[in-house]
Amino acid sequence: MLNKPLLVESLIVFIAVLCVHTVVWDRYSWCAIALAVQAFYVQFKWDHLLQLGGAVFQFRATANSGLLPASMVVPLLGIVMKERCKSAGIVFFERFGIVVASTGMLVALFLSVIAVGITKPVPTNTCILTGVAGSIIIYTMKHSLTVSEVIEVLEVLLIFVYLSMILLYLLPRCFTPGEALLVIEGISFVLNQLIKRSLNVVESRGDPIDFFLLVTVVGVVLLGIIFSVLFLFMDSGTWISSMFFHMMTAVLGLGVIMPWLYRLIQRNPLFWLLQFLFETQTRVYLLVYWTMLAASACAVVFYQNAKRSSESKKHQASTITRKYFHFIVVATYVPGLIYDRQLLYVAAVLCLAVFIFLEYIRYFRIKPFGQTLRHLLSLFLDERDSGPLILTHIYLLLGMSLPVWLFPRPCAPKGALSGAGALVPYSGVLAVGVGDTMASVLGSTMGEIKWPGTKKTFEGTMMAIFAQIIAVALILIFDSSVNLNASYAWILGSVSLVSLLEAYTTQIDNLLLPLYLQIMLMT
């Protein structure tokens, strides 16, 4: 029997694909549509494998495979980036957009082939569709990419294969196949770009803050892999292991990551970072304000845990309590987007590194704070945190930050895109900070009419759309760099489509929704 919510989710993704290619129609459009059709069929094979326990690795059991929505994110991002940079006349980033789109299609196709290959009996029709889609994609790549670009695509695919085997083995039940595709593909891109730029420092193009992002992401991932392997052979909860953890972190940070960053930016990274953070008075004010918000978030965590101790050990934080952190994040990001986006970019990278490092301390039970973090954060767990890691807060940070990090600054005259594209940096704020928060809070408290086959309510979705429209109006008032050029109908349609996706998807909405809204706004 077909899963109706899955069919509706797939229909929403198909509408998003067609909307993009209604505006941007070229040879890559055929590839994207072929990829979407075959991913639609293959995701049912993945779901069947997950139900039977036939997948090679352990995936999150409370959701479907999510292959279709995840497969289309990177190809669509590459296509809209290519068009924006082409219209701006930036050839380098236009070609980079083509590489991104091609890589996204090839990696998604590879994941589909794996599912088809391990399905017994072999699904003939799905194999034919996969073969046709693969032929179209490879033919288009052959006539679009240079030899060096083909090598770069294959490098990312190779990194993806090895990282998938490592991370999915070390982190069982943390991802669905679709979430794993998005996360590991993103890390693979970052690692490939870092290696490429490290080998060509003289020819490298880019802002120091871009290098800072690349080195930080690769550094924290390598740190986690190294300690995961080491603690297979020793007890991580002892004082000796904890001292070893802190010493090795310092050695890797000061002996590997810092020199690597120094090679890329050609200056002392610590001095550069301090100078960057305190360069203007506005940045000092923003840092003080963000410190106060961080302190208030910590106060909420301690208060809720004190409440649990006084009431019951089984007390869990409510939806409204968890969404309080969404309000704090919105209050953090909006001033940064209005007054200093570069500072917000760097601060988000630092915050990501801190979040992941604290998660390592919690997961490995590193003394003296590991057990305390386990106790404090267990209050905020939900059904999506079924694996050994707690990732929902990291996904929230990523969802808010990715539109800022992925914003094509060189292709944006005066730092802003035209039309609906001016709202691209606000995609995380709108989709997650405003839309998802209002849908959850008001849907759970006042919603009565449920969408068929889901727990989400019609009232929650309508409130999410309305709240995002109000937020867009406020952004127009307070951010003078935003000029929508009468593209209001497209914005309303984009917000509505992403809000419907939030109602029907079982994937991590904090990660998926901002990316789809960014794609729609950049079109």
Side-chain angles (χ1 to χ4, degrees):
M1 183 178 177
L2 292 177
N3 186 332
K4 290 183 179 179
L6 180 60
L7 291 177
V8 177
E9 179 193 46
S10 301
L11 176 62
I12 294 168
V13 174
F14 272 112
I15 292 172
V17 173
L18 293 176
C19 285
V20 169
H21 293 291
T22 300
V23 179
V24 182
W25 185 266
D26 54 20
R27 67 176 71 177
Y28 306 100
S29 302
W30 294 110
C31 297
I33 293 172
L35 179 68
V37 172
Q38 72 87 30
F40 171 73
Y41 279 91
V42 172
Q43 72 178 349
F44 289 102
K45 307 306 175 188
W46 263 112
D47 289 340
H48 184 65
L49 285 171
L50 296 177
Q51 290 169 5
L52 297 178
V56 178
F57 299 103
Q58 298 181 57
F59 293 99
R60 187 159 62 87
T62 56
N64 60 49
S65 65
L67 189 64
L68 173 60
S71 294
M72 300 313 301
V73 167
V74 175
L76 292 179
L77 271 176
I79 289 169
V80 296
M81 181 187 299
K82 172 186 74 71
E83 286 301 310
R84 283 289 184 173
C85 294
K86 181 180 179 180
S87 62
I90 312 297
V91 178
F92 177 82
F93 285 98
E94 179 189 349
R95 299 302 305 176
F96 182 69
I98 294 173
V99 171
V100 170
S102 301
T103 307
M105 292 178 187
L106 197 62
V107 171
L109 189 67
F110 172 78
L111 197 63
S112 298
V113 169
I114 290 178
V116 172
I118 61 179
T119 300
K120 303 298 179 185
V122 176
T124 306
N125 294 336
T126 307
C127 284
I128 294 172
L129 278 172
T130 303
V132 170
S135 300
I136 294 173
I137 291 169
I138 292 172
Y139 178 82
T140 304
M141 289 174 59
K142 179 178 179 293
H143 290 83
S144 304
L145 301 178
T146 63
V147 175
S148 61
E149 289 170 343
V150 170
I151 293 173
E152 185 172 355
V153 170
L154 295 177
E155 287 170 351
V156 177
L157 179 60
L158 184 63
I159 294 171
F160 175 83
V161 171
Y162 282 105
L163 275 181
S164 297
M165 292 188 292
I166 294 171
L167 295 182
L168 292 179
Y169 172 76
L170 294 175
L171 304 175
R173 304 180 309 281
C174 284
F175 310 102
T176 64
E179 292 160 5
L181 173 63
L182 276 178
V183 172
I184 300 175
E185 188 176 6
I187 297 172
S188 302
F189 263 116
V190 169
L191 180 56
N192 183 66
Q193 285 296 307
L194 182 58
I195 293 172
K196 180 181 174 182
R197 298 188 187 197
S198 299
L199 295 175
N200 302 285
V201 174
V202 177
E203 300 176 8
S204 296
R205 307 181 189 184
D207 197 297
I209 64 174
D210 295 324
F211 294 128
F212 184 63
L213 172 63
L214 298 178
V215 173
T216 301
V217 170
V218 172
V220 294
V221 171
L222 288 178
L223 197 67
I225 292 174
I226 290 171
F227 284 121
S228 295
V229 173
L230 287 175
F231 288 139
L232 288 175
F233 305 100
M234 55 192 299
D235 183 8
S236 61
T238 64
W239 274 106
I240 293 177
S241 297
S242 299
M243 291 177 63
F244 177 76
F245 174 88
H246 294 301
M247 289 175 61
M248 282 298 296
T249 301
V251 169
L252 291 171
L254 298 176
V256 178
I257 296 174
M258 295 288 284
W260 201 346
L261 188 56
Y262 177 84
R263 172 177 168 78
L264 290 169
I265 68 175
Q266 299 296 308
R267 67 188 83 169
N268 187 299
L270 285 178
F271 291 158
W272 167 79
L273 183 60
L274 290 173
Q275 182 182 6
F276 179 87
L277 292 177
F278 300 102
E279 189 173 7
T280 65
Q281 196 171 27
T282 301
R283 291 185 176 179
V284 175
Y285 289 151
L286 282 172
L287 290 172
V288 171
Y289 170 67
W290 289 340
T291 302
M292 293 170 60
L293 289 177
S296 67
C298 293
V300 171
V301 172
F302 286 118
Y303 172 75
Q304 289 296 324
N305 274 274
K307 187 177 178 182
R308 174 173 63 174
S309 300
S310 61
E311 292 181 357
S312 168
K313 292 184 178 180
K314 295 184 179 180
H315 173 74
Q316 286 294 117
S318 65
T319 299
I320 295 177
T321 301
R322 285 199 293 267
K323 295 304 176 182
Y324 176 78
F325 295 103
H326 287 230
F327 287 114
I328 291 179
V329 172
V330 170
T332 301
Y333 274 72
V334 171
L337 288 167
I338 294 174
Y339 295 110
D340 198 325
R341 293 183 184 178
Q342 283 200 325
L343 177 65
L344 180 63
Y345 186 114
V346 172
V349 174
L350 288 172
C351 195
L352 177 66
V354 171
F355 274 21
I356 295 177
F357 184 71
L358 289 176
E359 181 57 21
Y360 290 159
I361 291 176
R362 186 205 66 84
Y363 173 59
F364 293 124
R365 294 175 288 115
I366 301 299
K367 295 180 180 295
F369 302 113
Q371 201 59 44
T372 302
L373 285 172
R374 284 195 168 215
H375 174 73
L376 292 175
L377 296 181
S378 63
L379 176 66
F380 301 94
L381 294 177
D382 60 20
E383 69 276 3
R384 294 174 297 182
D385 292 310
S386 57
L389 294 185
I390 300 176
L391 296 173
T392 47
H393 61 298
I394 297 175
Y395 283 137
L396 174 60
L397 178 64
L398 285 174
M400 300 292 288
S401 304
L402 282 173
V404 179
W405 294 340
L406 298 176
F407 181 73
R409 296 192 308 278
C411 305
K414 299 180 181 179
L417 297 174
S418 58
L423 291 173
V424 165
Y426 288 93
S427 298
V429 171
L430 293 172
V432 176
V434 177
D436 180 47
T437 301
M438 299 304 292
S440 297
V441 173
L442 296 178
S444 62
T445 55
M446 297 188 297
E448 295 182 358
I449 306 172
K450 294 187 181 296
W451 290 106
T454 76
K455 297 180 181 179
K456 306 296 178 67
T457 64
F458 174 80
E459 294 90 343
T461 302
M462 292 302 104
M463 182 56 67
I465 296 171
F466 178 72
Q468 288 177 80
I469 297 303
I470 297 297
V472 170
L474 292 174
I475 291 169
L476 281 171
I477 293 172
F478 292 103
D479 191 345
S480 58
S481 67
V482 175
N483 182 12
L484 301 182
N485 294 335
S487 54
Y488 302 108
W490 184 266
I491 294 170
L492 177 60
S494 301
V495 165
S496 301
L497 195 65
V498 172
S499 297
L500 283 172
L501 182 61
E502 186 274 336
Y504 275 95
T505 188
T506 57
Q507 306 303 296
I508 298 293
D509 47 13
N510 290 348
L511 186 63
L512 199 63
L513 302 184
L515 293 172
Y516 268 98
L517 185 57
Q518 178 173 3
I519 289 166
M520 296 297 295
L521 294 177
M522 282 184 66
T523 302

